[in-house]
């Protein structure tokens, strides 16, 4: 019953609803349940999607009743594009994240991972699981970052420098909608990215104060600084790091966006053609 090939496989676990569905050769395969009658982890249910292949795998929401079966199914599903929304307040969230990313061949894959419900207990454990992410083509990480000034600096310290460095080593193109790096962590990530012969492109948020601290590091003196210090150019390697202020005052935890990637001969970041347009339409 396993080894099916699906164009789209969808898992919905929002509120009372539980649904696992895929269409193969015109035949719809489906498991349904709710809070009162959850999808059961029976041998038959487990076999229905065992070792399936899906061009697109979509996971919307998460609740505990179907944890055992759904996590078991996902471990065996091979995908090309994935869009997953995970509630990190659920006890099973970390197991689900590992099931999505660990021990996989994602060299041609595109992933959008949205982690919701962060708190002081689950924030670092969940994001440090990204150290398990293998080499990946395109990756976007969302974390419910509010676009305003009403937050504290510590509230979004979600990813430590070692995670950023791991992602730079293993991902070709990434958008990380998170804030959590030190100035030296940024420098290490830029130097790592600049060491690669192929094109890479990263964008992510930092505190504006962190970006300014980066420019003040003595080690950055070997890079050419442009745009009033808002761009670092490694002209020997042909890579650049550029940042610009988004909003807020540095003293109030103001944010900046950082982009790193291949630079043109004029020192400008090149448009590598990487975009998430196709990924944004996955749930349309």
């Amino acid at each position: 019953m396993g080894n099916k090939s699906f164009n789209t496989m969808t898992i919905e676990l929002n509120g009372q609803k539980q649904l696992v569905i895929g269409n193969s050769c015109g035949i719809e395969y489906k498991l349904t349940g709710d809070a009162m009658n959850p999808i059961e982890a029976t041998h038959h249910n487990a076999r229905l999607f065992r070792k399936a292949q899906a061009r697109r795998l979509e996971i919307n929401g998460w609740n505990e009743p179907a944890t055992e079966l759904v996590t078991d199914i996902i471990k065996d599903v091979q995908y090309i594009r994935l869009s997953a929304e995970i509630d990190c307040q659920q006890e099973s969230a970390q197991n689900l994240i590992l099931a999505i990313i660990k021990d996989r061949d994602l060299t041609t894959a595109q992933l959008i991972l949205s982690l919701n419900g962060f708190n002081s207990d689950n924030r670092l454990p969940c994001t440090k699981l990204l150290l398990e992410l293998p080499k990946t083509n395109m990756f976007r990480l969302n974390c419910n970052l509010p676009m305003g000034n009403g937050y504290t600096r510590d509230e979004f310290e979600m990813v430590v420098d070692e995670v950023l460095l791991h992602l730079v080593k293993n991902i070709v193109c990434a958008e990380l909608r998170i804030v959590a790096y030190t100035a030296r962590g940024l420098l290490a990530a830029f130097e790592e990215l600049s060491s690669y012969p192929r094109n890479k492109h990263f964008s992510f948020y930092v505190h504006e104060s962190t970006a300014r601290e980066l420019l003040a590091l003595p080690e950055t003196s070997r890079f050419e600084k442009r745009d009033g210090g808002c761009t670092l150019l490694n002209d020997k390697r042909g890579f650049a790091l550029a940042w610009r202020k988004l909003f807020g005052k540095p003293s109030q935890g103001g944010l900046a966006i950082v982009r790193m990637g291949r630079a043109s001969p004029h020192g400008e970041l090149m448009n590598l053609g990487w975009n998430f347009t196709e990924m944004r339409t996955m749930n349309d």
Side-chain angles (χ1 to χ4, degrees):
M1 293 183 67
N3 298 292
K4 299 177 183 67
S5 180
F6 301 106
N7 183 49
T8 301
M9 181 175 169
T10 302
I11 299 173
E12 293 188 13
L13 300 169
N14 293 310
Q16 301 293 315
K17 183 179 181 181
Q18 297 177 12
L19 174 67
V20 183
I21 186 171
N23 190 291
S24 178
C25 299
I27 302 174
E28 185 177 83
Y29 296 86
K30 181 166 61 175
L31 298 174
T32 61
D34 54 39
M36 297 299 295
N37 299 287
I39 300 174
E40 297 181 356
T42 64
H43 180 67
H44 172 78
N45 286 345
R47 289 180 62 200
L48 198 59
F49 294 94
R50 182 74 68 191
K51 296 183 179 180
Q53 297 184 17
R55 289 188 58 82
R56 299 188 301 180
L57 174 60
E58 302 172 1
I59 305 171
N60 302 314
W62 190 250
N63 55 26
E64 294 296 340
T67 296
E68 181 180 354
L69 175 64
V70 174
T71 302
D72 189 44
I73 289 174
I74 292 172
K75 288 179 180 178
D76 280 340
V77 175
Q78 301 300 315
Y79 59 82
I80 298 175
R81 299 179 184 174
L82 174 133
S83 176
E85 182 179 347
I86 300 174
D87 182 356
C88 291
Q89 296 185 76
Q90 302 290 343
E91 294 181 2
S92 58
Q94 295 182 41
N95 289 335
L96 178 58
I97 294 172
L98 284 177
I100 289 172
I101 66 175
K102 189 175 181 180
D103 298 329
R104 290 181 176 272
D105 180 1
L106 301 178
T107 52
T108 61
Q110 301 178 0
L111 286 72
I112 296 179
L113 183 59
S114 299
L115 303 180
N116 304 322
F118 276 117
N119 57 44
S120 58
D121 294 324
N122 64 39
R123 187 170 57 233
L124 284 177
C126 282
T127 51
K128 290 193 74 171
L129 291 176
L130 296 176
L131 291 170
E132 300 288 347
L133 190 72
K135 292 189 180 301
T136 304
N137 185 27
M138 300 176 70
F139 179 62
R140 173 187 280 172
L141 179 63
N142 298 326
C143 71
N144 284 349
L145 181 68
M147 303 308 288
N149 296 327
Y151 61 90
T152 64
R153 182 181 177 104
D154 291 339
E155 187 174 354
F156 295 105
E157 296 297 309
M158 291 178 237
V159 176
V160 292
D161 292 340
E162 64 175 318
V163 176
L164 176 62
L165 190 60
H166 174 81
L167 297 181
V168 168
K169 288 179 178 179
N170 287 281
I171 299 173
V172 176
C173 176
E175 293 181 8
L176 309 175
R177 297 187 174 183
I178 45 182
V179 180
Y181 318 112
T182 66
R184 292 198 175 277
L186 293 183
L187 179 61
F190 180 51
E191 291 178 327
E192 179 66 30
L193 182 140
S194 299
S195 69
Y196 282 81
R198 64 182 299 187
N199 292 342
K200 286 197 172 193
H201 185 82
F202 270 67
S203 67
F204 48 87
Y205 297 115
V206 298
H207 297 288
E208 183 186 350
S209 58
T210 302
R212 296 188 182 281
E213 289 168 10
L214 170 66
L215 299 177
L217 291 177
E219 294 90 334
T220 61
S221 62
R222 63 179 179 274
F223 301 127
E224 182 180 347
K225 296 180 181 179
R226 298 187 178 185
D227 304 323
C230 291
T231 297
L232 296 181
L233 177 63
N234 186 338
D235 52 1
K236 292 183 179 180
R237 294 285 187 174
F239 284 86
L241 178 153
W243 69 274
R244 62 179 176 83
K245 177 179 176 180
L246 289 178
F247 53 75
K249 298 179 180 179
S251 60
Q252 297 174 340
L255 290 183
I257 186 168
V258 174
R259 294 176 60 225
M260 303 189 302
R262 179 71 67 181
S264 71
H266 303 291
E268 299 175 347
L269 278 167
M270 297 172 61
N271 182 355
L272 303 181
W274 305 113
N275 65 71
F276 286 77
T277 302
E278 292 185 55
M279 300 180 71
R280 293 190 184 106
T281 63
M282 286 176 62
N283 295 319
D284 291 349

